[in-house]
Amino acid sequence: MKVKRAIPYIALAFVAVLAVSSYLGRDYALGWLKAAGHMEYTLEEAQELAYTKCTQCHSAENITKYCFRCGPPFIVVVHNMKRLIAVEKAGGKKALEGLTDAQAVTIAQVWNALVGNWEDTWRKQDIVKLLDGDQALIDLADVPISERSIETRLSEKTAPGVYKREDGPVAPSPLPTAPTAPTP
């Protein structure tokens, strides 16, 4: 008799375990599909991805203080981070979580939108050379900024503490002229 009473409870427990595992499995599968580039990240997921991956090494404050005077555009910075992570993993150093191509493209767009995009102040061939065959980021560089889905949808936002240039590229200052002799 006790066995017959236990069957509904066992069935209920089985269904609960199945429901929880399928829910968790769904999230894992969706995460994998997005990391592989088969699905696009939502804006919230893209921002979370950028902060999570990049703060493995840098503080969020350092990332948001990066500017056009600091170095190359984010598309190149993200490529360099991919390379650094690969080198460190090969050398057996601190295990950083690597970046897939789709994640790198997403992260570059997030920081371009939240901090600034100064790709237009660099020659295209210089950016391509610095990307050193990273085809996913080269393909992103070929897409006009106005057609980049994540970057355009985040363009009205900024990261906390960012100084975002609103005036476009800074023109070089004119060279000083030699002083003229006073006229008598």
Side-chain angles (χ1 to χ4, degrees), residues 2-163:
K2 290 184 182 182
V3 173
K4 285 186 178 181
R5 275 197 194 164
I7 290 176
Y9 294 111
I10 293 171
L12 183 61
F14 178 74
V15 168
V17 167
L18 187 62
V20 168
S21 65
S22 67
Y23 178 76
L24 296 175
R26 187 188 102 231
D27 286 347
Y28 176 79
L30 287 175
W32 181 85
L33 288 170
K34 290 174 183 180
H38 301 298
M39 291 179 69
E40 190 170 294
Y41 288 96
T42 66
L43 294 183
E44 293 78 23
E45 291 169 335
Q47 291 177 77
E48 182 181 336
L49 174 72
Y51 276 96
T52 302
K53 294 285 188 174
C54 296
T55 56
Q56 292 179 99
C57 300
H58 310 284
S59 71
E61 182 181 1
N62 284 350
I63 297 166
T64 59
K65 297 297 182 205
Y66 189 72
C67 71
F68 67 98
R69 287 180 236 123
C70 299
F74 279 106
I75 196 166
V76 175
V77 173
V78 171
H79 165 72
N80 291 339
M81 292 301 103
K82 278 177 63 178
R83 297 278 305 261
L84 176 66
I85 290 169
V87 167
E88 285 194 357
K89 279 188 172 187
K93 291 189 179 180
K94 180 181 161 185
L96 296 174
E97 196 174 325
L99 298 176
T100 66
D101 288 343
Q103 289 173 330
V105 166
T106 299
I107 290 169
Q109 289 184 73
V110 167
W111 293 128
N112 281 344
L114 298 181
V115 177
N117 183 340
W118 50 93
E119 290 172 30
D120 61 346
T121 65
W122 283 58
R123 294 182 327 166
K124 175 75 174 212
Q125 60 264 37
D126 292 338
I127 289 176
V128 170
K129 185 174 183 176
L130 289 170
L131 291 177
D132 193 30
D134 190 333
Q135 197 57 52
L137 291 173
I138 291 171
D139 291 345
L140 177 64
D142 288 336
V143 175
I145 294 168
S146 62
E147 295 177 19
R148 297 179 185 179
S149 63
I150 292 171
E151 196 166 338
T152 54
R153 290 184 290 154
L154 282 174
S155 64
E156 298 300 317
K157 296 185 177 191
T158 58
V162 130
Y163 170 74

